[in-house]
Amino acid sequence: MVINVFKEGNDENDALDKNNYSIKEEDDDSEVQKIKSHLDITYLKYVSDNIKYLLKLNITNDNECFEKSSKYTKDKETGDKYRVILYIRLSVEDGDVIDGDVSKSIRNQLLILLDECEKRGWVVVAIFCEEGISGADDNRPEWNKSLKFCEYGNTEIVLCKSQSRFSRSMEMIEKYLHNEFITWNIRFVGLVDSTDTSVIGNKKTRQINGLVNEWQVEDQSINIRAVLKNKQSNGLFTGAFAPYGYLKDPKDKYHFIIDEDAARVVRKIFEMYASGKRSN
């Protein structure tokens, strides 16, 4: 059972940084409108805040879908059509950000997934989206919400761009795709790598993909540490923030420039200390 679930607006990670999005009018008139044309909002029970902002959806999430006494059933809501949830994840490890535009990466995944749902006649009942979180992390808020949504019988299918979007942890692949999802009668589909838990002979491929995806994260971590160590040994700054009195050079992130406002304070402190003034 998934125990770490965050309801909408209750976790600090839910705060949406709108500066990461560069939505232009032409985007809203074309690509975004195309995405919205694939959605029937009457069926949507939950949509992540970043997706609501991107698509300008004025809907209220129903948090009852994360409770055990969920009122939604297939027959009542969608008849004989399969209910599907979309899980979208963006991270550096997957090379997602396109031209520095987070929204473009999200739109691309949405179009791919929604197009598949339309082809198969599946009804989208929830969209979960995560940004900047590794697939090896099993404490992703939106991911945990999606699992609760599944556990309480609100969907039959989880659809992702690939298995690695769902998880890069072999332990989590085994736990959910090959155990819990079977118990909950959930089918997992990954489009790019042809992952499909309804295909019995597909299990070994899923396991191999799980190992490769996990190894990729480990290799990337080792490579990053090696690169950072090399930069530090060559006198290059690799921290996130410049020390007080300096700013990162916008032309060279490894170089400092003086922060004149802060520098005045530093110089004043030095002058006071040099003149013999001491704090008591």
Side-chain angles (χ1 to χ4, degrees):
M1 177 179 289
V2 182
I3 60 174
N4 192 3
V5 176
F6 301 83
K7 288 195 175 181
E8 184 183 15
N10 287 351
D11 184 74
E12 62 183 4
N13 291 326
D14 286 344
L16 177 62
D17 184 0
K18 296 179 177 59
N19 293 324
N20 290 335
Y21 296 79
S22 56
I23 304 173
K24 302 175 183 177
E25 285 301 321
E26 56 265 32
D27 293 333
D28 189 53
D29 290 339
S30 55
E31 198 169 30
V32 172
Q33 288 301 325
K34 186 175 182 180
I35 292 170
K36 292 169 74 172
S37 71
H38 288 299
L39 281 173
D40 186 339
I41 63 173
T42 60
Y43 291 117
L44 290 174
K45 309 306 177 190
Y46 178 86
V47 180
S48 297
D49 286 345
N50 46 10
I51 297 295
K52 286 198 287 188
Y53 173 75
L54 177 65
L55 301 182
K56 299 179 181 178
L57 294 176
N58 186 22
I59 60 175
T60 301
N61 290 334
D62 187 348
N63 282 317
E64 285 190 30
C65 58
F66 300 115
E67 298 175 1
K68 197 166 186 177
S69 57
S70 179
K71 63 184 178 183
Y72 304 114
T73 62
K74 179 181 176 182
D75 292 339
K76 179 181 178 181
E77 296 295 315
T78 60
D80 60 352
K81 293 184 178 181
Y82 286 112
R83 299 171 299 172
V84 60
I85 66 171
L86 311 181
Y87 178 73
I88 296 169
R89 183 179 62 79
L90 281 74
S91 74
V92 175
E93 71 196 15
D94 293 295
D96 283 316
V97 179
I98 301 173
D99 298 328
D101 186 354
V102 171
S103 66
K104 188 179 294 185
S105 304
I106 294 176
R107 294 198 301 272
N108 285 350
Q109 285 195 51
L110 274 172
L111 276 174
I112 292 171
L113 300 181
L114 289 172
D115 185 59
E116 187 69 16
C117 290
E118 190 165 72
K119 289 177 181 176
R120 301 201 189 197
W122 295 343
V123 176
V124 178
V125 293
I127 305 174
F128 300 86
C129 181
E130 221 113 39
E131 299 172 36
I133 302 181
S134 171
D137 187 351
D138 61 359
N139 194 31
R140 288 168 274 153
E142 293 300 298
W143 186 70
N144 279 326
K145 286 180 184 178
S146 74
L147 294 174
K148 271 296 181 187
F149 197 92
C150 292
E151 182 182 2
Y152 292 150
N154 298 306
T155 186
E156 287 80 49
I157 300 169
V158 174
L159 180 63
C160 295
K161 182 180 177 182
S162 65
Q163 178 178 303
S164 64
R165 300 294 166 157
F166 177 77
S167 180
R168 285 184 176 272
S169 164
M170 187 60 194
E171 179 184 356
M172 293 301 106
I173 293 299
E174 284 298 309
K175 178 176 181 180
Y176 291 105
L177 266 60
H178 301 150
N179 288 282
E180 299 287 21
F181 279 10
I182 294 173
T183 301
W184 301 339
N185 198 27
I186 298 292
R187 175 185 178 187
F188 177 85
V189 177
L191 295 184
V192 175
D193 52 7
S194 301
T195 304
D196 191 338
T197 54
S198 70
V199 180
I200 297 176
N202 193 245
K203 183 175 181 179
K204 289 183 175 62
T205 301
R206 295 193 296 271
Q207 291 172 324
I208 292 171
N209 285 343
L211 285 171
V212 172
N213 291 331
E214 188 171 279
W215 291 339
Q216 183 179 347
V217 174
E218 293 174 357
D219 290 345
Q220 185 179 54
S221 178
I222 293 171
N223 291 336
I224 289 174
R225 286 198 298 269
V227 169
L228 290 177
K229 186 176 180 180
N230 179 263
K231 290 183 183 298
Q232 291 164 355
S233 66
N234 282 280
L236 298 177
F237 182 74
T238 58
F241 304 101
Y244 184 74
Y246 296 92
L247 296 170
K248 283 190 174 182
D249 188 339
K251 297 180 181 179
D252 182 357
K253 63 181 179 180
Y254 303 113
H255 179 256
F256 292 146
I257 58 176
I258 295 175
D259 181 351
E260 290 299 336
D261 291 334
R264 284 192 289 271
V265 177
V266 174
R267 293 187 187 108
K268 183 66 175 177
I269 293 172
F270 177 80
E271 291 169 0
M272 292 172 65
Y273 184 85
S275 66
K277 292 183 179 181
R278 305 286 190 274
S279 60
N280 296 327

